[in-house]
Amino acid sequence: MKLTTEDQARLEQLVGRACREQPALAAPRTLQARVFAALQQRAARPWWRRSFAYWPMAPRVVLVLACAGVARAMLEVTAWFNTNLGAVQLPVPVSRSLSWVQSARSLISLLDSTAGDVGATLLHRIPPLWLYGGIIGMLALYALLVGLGAAAYRTLHAPR
Amino acid sequence: MQAYQDMVFSTAARLLANEAQAQDIAQDVFLKAYENFEQLRTSTTKGGWLKTVTTNLSLNHLSRYRRRWRFFSEFRRDEATEEESQLDVAVADSALDGIAEEERQLLLEQALRRLPEHQRVPLVLYHFEELSYEDIARQLRISLAKVRTDILRARVSLARLLARTQLSDAHSRPSPS
């Protein structure tokens, strides 16, 4: 038998009244001292250890300009590498030591051009039954994982 | 700060059911108040501001731990119907009668702390912070129906806890004869 609407209203009144009559809990005496100590600790920090919003204006401007400069330099270096890497004639020892860079570039472009083709070919070669079976299997394993998680939660963690 | 520290601490302690965490939250609230000192100094609603910040910080603190469990908590067996059927509102109503005021307040605080978080938080927001069901649903990002159900169950659990406490108290008292 569930509570009737009347009982629910009475219960709301009862709990509401009890809560309203409840005085505020007394804060520990140490709270004020803790807050003042934290404020003093904050005030004692040097400007560069505070949040950026509290930095003096000059260091703020310098940092913003420095960040913009670094970003621009990175963009220019990347663009230069992209256009000139093949054309630059490096001394033989240097070019030998940097040969892995060239190899990596070739490998990445090869993978990039063939990955799409391989994916499309595989998708067409795999029988649809296997494909759907695989998807259903994955979903079933996922549901099993969720079920095990829920069971573990209820057994080990849920408040009783 | 002295005028508001009990209110801030109470709000945090009732939401978190943990004194140490409530102290940490109260400290953060007053540090934030200090950051906004100029704005608050002349404000007539600083009490409300402090209460809102306390509630938000406490809920943020809880949600850090709650997020990972929220999904699984939906699987919890619905035990409330059984609880409701065992509750006699008249007994609950008289549960606190005849108990000294201080003891009654202590019992209620203890009963509140023993409620599970998903019941305690909406109950505190409704009865202590006087938020509406809609505001609670928005704050906790749960449905309105769940807020209503959780608060009802919290009231039932609270009444049962109080009734049980009174019963055990009555048994432990020496008989008048």
Side-chain angles (χ1 to χ4, degrees), chain B residues 161-176:
Chain B
L161 281 171
L162 290 172
R164 207 185 298 155
T165 311
Q166 190 221 22
L167 208 64
S168 62
D169 203 35
H171 281 300
S172 64
R173 274 184 205 144
S175 62

Side-chain angles (χ1 to χ4, degrees), chain A residues 135-148:
Chain A
I135 291 170
I136 290 168
M138 270 167 47
L139 289 175
L141 283 174
Y142 187 73
L144 181 70
L145 182 71
V146 169
L148 282 174

Side-chain angles (χ1 to χ4, degrees), chain B residues 23 47-48 60 69 93 95 103 113 124 126 139 159 162 164 169 176:
Chain B
Q23 276 196 60
N60 285 348
W69 294 115
D93 202 1
E103 194 184 348
R113 276 180 203 193
V124 169
Y126 185 81
Q139 285 257 22
L162 290 172
R164 207 185 298 155
D169 203 35

Side-chain angles (χ1 to χ4, degrees), chain A residues 1-2 11-12 14 16 18-19 22-28 32 34-35 38-39 42 146 150 153-154, chain B residues 1-2 6 9-10 14 23-24 27 31 34-35 69 76-77 84-85 93 105 108-109 126-128 155:
Chain A
M1 189 184 75
K2 286 184 79 175
L11 191 61
E12 178 173 351
L14 163 71
C19 293
Q22 200 70 352
L25 298 169
Q32 206 168 345
R34 271 182 67 169
V35 173
L39 283 174
R42 274 191 180 190
V146 169
Y153 169 77
R154 283 191 50 182
Chain B
M1 182 181 159
Q2 268 179 338
D6 287 353
F9 177 74
S10 296
R14 283 175 184 145
Q23 276 196 60
D24 290 344
Q27 179 180 322
L31 291 178
Y34 180 76
E35 285 168 11
W69 294 115
R76 192 178 294 128
R77 196 170 52 231
E84 285 170 30
S85 68
D93 202 1
Q105 289 162 356
L108 189 64
E109 291 297 342
Y126 185 81
H127 284 298
F128 286 95
R155 287 181 194 132

Side-chain angles (χ1 to χ4, degrees), chain B residues 20-40:
Chain B
Q21 290 171 5
Q23 276 196 60
D24 290 344
I25 295 290
Q27 179 180 322
D28 288 349
V29 170
F30 286 114
L31 291 178
K32 276 193 186 298
Y34 180 76
E35 285 168 11
N36 296 281
F37 184 71
E38 283 307 315
Q39 178 201 332
L40 287 175

Side-chain angles (χ1 to χ4, degrees), chain B residues 107 115 132 168 170:
Chain B
L107 284 176
L115 288 178
S132 65
S168 62

